[in-house]
Amino acid sequence: MPSLRVALAQVNSTVGDIPGNAAAVRHWSRAAADAGAHLVAFPEMMLTGYPIEDLVFRNSFVAASRAALRTLAADLAADGLGDLAVVVGYVDADGPAPTSSDAVPGSGRRDASALLFGGGIAATYFKHHLPNYGVFDEDRYFEPGDSLTVVRLGGVDVALTVCEDLWQAGGPFAAARRAGVGLVVNINASPYELNKDDIRLSLVKRRAAEAGATIAYVNTVGGQDELVFDGDSMIVTAAGELLTRAGQFTAELLVHDLDLPAADATANPAGPVGAAGESPRVEQRRDEEMAIERFVVGAAPRPLTDGPAVGGIAERVTDEAEIWSALTLGLHDYVEKNGFRSVVLGLSGGIDSAVVAAIAVDALGPQRVVAVSMPSGYSSTHSRDDAADLAKRTGLDYRSEPIQPMVDAFLANMSLSGLAVENLQARVRGVILMALSNQEGHLVLTTGNKSELAVGYSTLYGDSVGGFNPLKDVPKTMVWRLAKWRNQDAARRGGEPPIPENSIVKPPSAELRPGQVDSDSLPDYEVLDAILAGYIDGDQGREDLIAAGHDVALVDRVLRMVDLAEYKRRQSAPGTKISIKAFGRDRRLPITNRFREGV
Amino acid sequence: MPSLRVALAQVNSTVGDIPGNAAAVRHWSRAAADAGAHLVAFPEMMLTGYPIEDLVFRNSFVAASRAALRTLAADLAADGLGDLAVVVGYVDADGPAPTSSDAVPGSGRRDASALLFGGGIAATYFKHHLPNYGVFDEDRYFEPGDSLTVVRLGGVDVALTVCEDLWQAGGPFAAARRAGVGLVVNINASPYELNKDDIRLSLVKRRAAEAGATIAYVNTVGGQDELVFDGDSMIVTAAGELLTRAGQFTAELLVHDLDLPAADATANPAGPVGAAGESPRVEQRRDEEMAIERFVVGAAPRPLTDGPAVGGIAERVTDEAEIWSALTLGLHDYVEKNGFRSVVLGLSGGIDSAVVAAIAVDALGPQRVVAVSMPSGYSSTHSRDDAADLAKRTGLDYRSEPIQPMVDAFLANMSLSGLAVENLQARVRGVILMALSNQEGHLVLTTGNKSELAVGYSTLYGDSVGGFNPLKDVPKTMVWRLAKWRNQDAARRGGEPPIPENSIVKPPSAELRPGQVDSDSLPDYEVLDAILAGYIDGDQGREDLIAAGHDVALVDRVLRMVDLAEYKRRQSAPGTKISIKAFGRDRRLPITNRFREGV
């Protein structure tokens, strides 16, 4: 039984930074070779980043991806890594490499995986199952591949697949069984959702059984706008045994030795591929399902160097720990990949801004976080005290900008009352934060949670201003859970809990009029979040929610608030998706919409 | 040769207003019957409005659509319209009508057309070609139909098709030829783009030739968020003759008599359908392409009443007239369908706000438009004069709110300089407009044109505040053309040109610092708009633009500005799409994107 040492490069790439991503492939390929690996697999679209969205329609972008792949293959050989099989995702197109003035056929773009070997592109595979639900629009972008690519490497037949191929029955994994492969390499850009890791493991097991082969699953890690990728790479045998598993939200190289069935010599003429650029030897079989294209690289199995490589199995963590890591990485990468040095946020003393401040400090360090207390005449003493307390606990840059002089200037020149005066205060705060951003270069963080966004409990261009919102997809009840977890975690580690206890326990209030509390306008958050989870995440209707035991009048009120707040959400800042249905591309609703259930 | 009097109901529906849309079908069906029509066709998704987006995932919505269709069929019969064939679009799902607690299979939702007759649903058809490009996401929402529905009506075989079926070769129109139909009814929700009407006519001619049948094409009219539907309904013979054509942006009933080939009696057992609810008689033929399902309604052709009905052929108008109508209707419907009584905008004396004010007055009447001059120390005298002049010409509600006291309050309390001070002025204006909105209930209009949005020449939460932006998809050079056209058109009609000449001829300026003009920061708009059209509308890359003769340094500068402004566009107000690629769902780009062409 031949052995392969497989390395899974669970690494971070950046959309559009093709040279930087190629450099990362070279760096981690060197690390894999140093660990004695025969094969290293990088995530889906490693070279381009993921998702590239409409960049795929620009021929110059596709041409850059294709050219970078060729250069990368040559560079790896020049680095002395020509005998390492490197599997890497990129974007391809049918036909000759498009130049910027060639038209790429509208239907010919491919979400592709290449196996680089010996200085050349030894084989390529085009993703077969294209996701077109949730945040995914891949039918818009790609043509599905219709053949499975099998590469004989070190005496083992290895099939190449991409991401969604794993999530649907049939297709490549069924073809892999017919092809009799020993290993399926599945490269991914699979965005984080709470508890998705549990689904993934059972899915990989199911497909491994379907293919009758070991699956090496590698996922990217890092933030890209509203998505964060959690890694969770793993290797599972055909029998369903989990051999090794990476952590979530960590960049790492997972290296593991696999004893794999020898390829059937009769299925394919043996022999190495020639020099880079020479055509690989191909045997092609077609049947009623996917065709199978066979390639051969390398000679006999290179012996394993040094002792057996055994990757560990990373422990699973609590929901709160998982979400905290997702939000921290999502914010960190938005800041870093967009070139900001620092962030600024309004710190009210309330729970939302306290949690955002703590996330920002964890993501960036306290010296890159500016927090501004912006008290008004309605701000309580405890608000200012709690904000100052958090500043002291975390060491962030804390300032105070009282808003009353500016508010008074508006009130002296306009006739405003009621809600207009409440919103005015929030908007003056927004102007202050944006002025600090313009003056000093900070990214403004906004701090509205998912419950508020759902019901529109925020001031447009007021507390909603900002370039990024870490809590956008976090329901209010989870904000509290996160705060408690973060403090307890600090205590466990012997550190300072960052969030003042008073911010956690006091009744939430916008403090825009005397004595105001959220419960004046909203139901209890436990009740509200349960209705929102049904209506938003679950697409349940009024009758479903009532059948689930919710109060009829409350359901009607909440659904109406959610429907009417769509226009605010349309102008809201991006923020990290953690749920199965986040606001944004995950949930596309018209603003103009007169549908009212049960009316 | 049997004759059919066909009515095309080019009418406006509202997303989610199922009862209101059903009432409109009854109203216009009565009008069609009064005109002696045998058949009246309503647009795609008439019952639900279009596009319904993720509403389709709510079972209660699909159930409401299906229930409303059954009720509508019965109501039409009760109205005495049981012998009128009514073709109407709605959303359907496979299997029994889902209740709110039934799961609709994820893949079983249908963009459907029904033929109502005799109090029942005589036949249904499911859209075969689903658009999944541009603003369309129909692969996300619908399962394609795989059979053509043919209904024998008054001795003529009539095929039902929906919208995109017309835009792709093969499928339903090829099946219609095989089925030997005399008429194809194609119901549409086809959004307006400049010059799309020319493409439509040639497309209808091509498909009529392909089907060997007359095509009755009916499109909806009206605004829905960023889309506006222009109507342009028409009837074209198999020989390519345009018999009648409706105007654009008008609600109308187009009635025309057609002499059509008699159905082949051997192809189908003749005979009327029974009472409502009874199954229609079906003969089904399958072949390698689409199956054909045949239905029969009605008895022998009811004789035509009174003289021949001949619809006119509406004249085409200039680009400027077409766009003005699109923008006016788009704004009008956003305001009306969302229940606003009035709009408010900042009137600077510049061309953008002048054109938006004129559009708003045309859409809503001057008494529903509030315009606010918000001069600063940098505002020129001519700006205030020009704004006041426009107010006088149009009769809108004009006010003045000088911003200096509020700006001074910020400056006295914060240390701001340079761009931060410029943006501060724009943001104080934004706060004033939003305060007026909160206090008085107006919808705020924002006035940034497409060129500004492209390069980010605006202040986020400043001049960009607003719930709707009529100029969002209008390049600056077109803004000037529109202004000139509108004034000339007024002069032609003997009315008052609404836009002060000085607003048209003076150099554009944001007036945020002394002597500032746009040309300090931006290239000449003729040059800029040409680069933007290539880069945005055409997905051209740097090399294409340079090959087209643009200055290299300028191309690099403009492309960089466009790329870096994506975060502002993501939070921008919706506005009517008029180009082949509007910002918004038409162009989906990552914010985090390090791809820089030619670097």
Side-chain angles (χ1 to χ4, degrees), chain B residues 2-19:
Chain B
S3 293
L4 281 187
R5 183 166 295 172
V6 172
L8 303 182
Q10 174 172 304
V11 299
N12 201 333
S13 64
T14 299
V15 165
D17 186 10
I18 298 175

Side-chain angles (χ1 to χ4, degrees), chain A residues 466-487:
Chain A
F468 199 78
N469 180 359
L471 299 185
K472 184 174 189 181
D473 198 31
V474 184
K476 184 80 171 190
T477 48
M478 179 57 79
V479 175
W480 277 305
R481 283 174 57 190
L482 290 176
K484 290 173 194 163
W485 171 85
R486 181 62 183 81
N487 276 1

Side-chain angles (χ1 to χ4, degrees), chain A residues 327-340:
Chain A
L327 300 178
T328 305
L329 181 58
L331 173 61
H332 174 272
D333 276 13
Y334 191 86
V335 168
E336 290 296 331
K337 293 179 180 180
N338 285 292
F340 290 99

Side-chain angles (χ1 to χ4, degrees), chain A residues 451 477 480 522-534 545 549-551 554-555 557-558:
Chain A
S451 313
T477 48
W480 277 305
L522 300 177
D524 182 81
Y525 280 110
E526 294 285 347
V527 175
L528 176 64
D529 282 354
I531 295 175
L532 295 175
L545 293 162
H550 294 294
D551 177 74
L554 191 58
V555 166
R557 186 155 71 95
V558 170

Side-chain angles (χ1 to χ4, degrees), chain A residues 70-128:
Chain A
R70 288 190 301 273
T71 303
L72 175 62
D75 286 345
L76 286 166
D79 291 345
L81 304 174
D83 65 346
L84 174 69
V86 177
V87 176
V88 59
Y90 70 109
V91 61
D92 205 340
D94 292 347
T99 66
S100 58
S101 54
D102 283 344
V104 175
S107 59
R109 297 178 189 85
R110 308 288 191 163
D111 184 337
S113 174
L115 189 143
L116 309 181
F117 191 89
I121 302 166
T124 59
Y125 167 80
F126 298 150
K127 187 177 187 176
H128 178 70

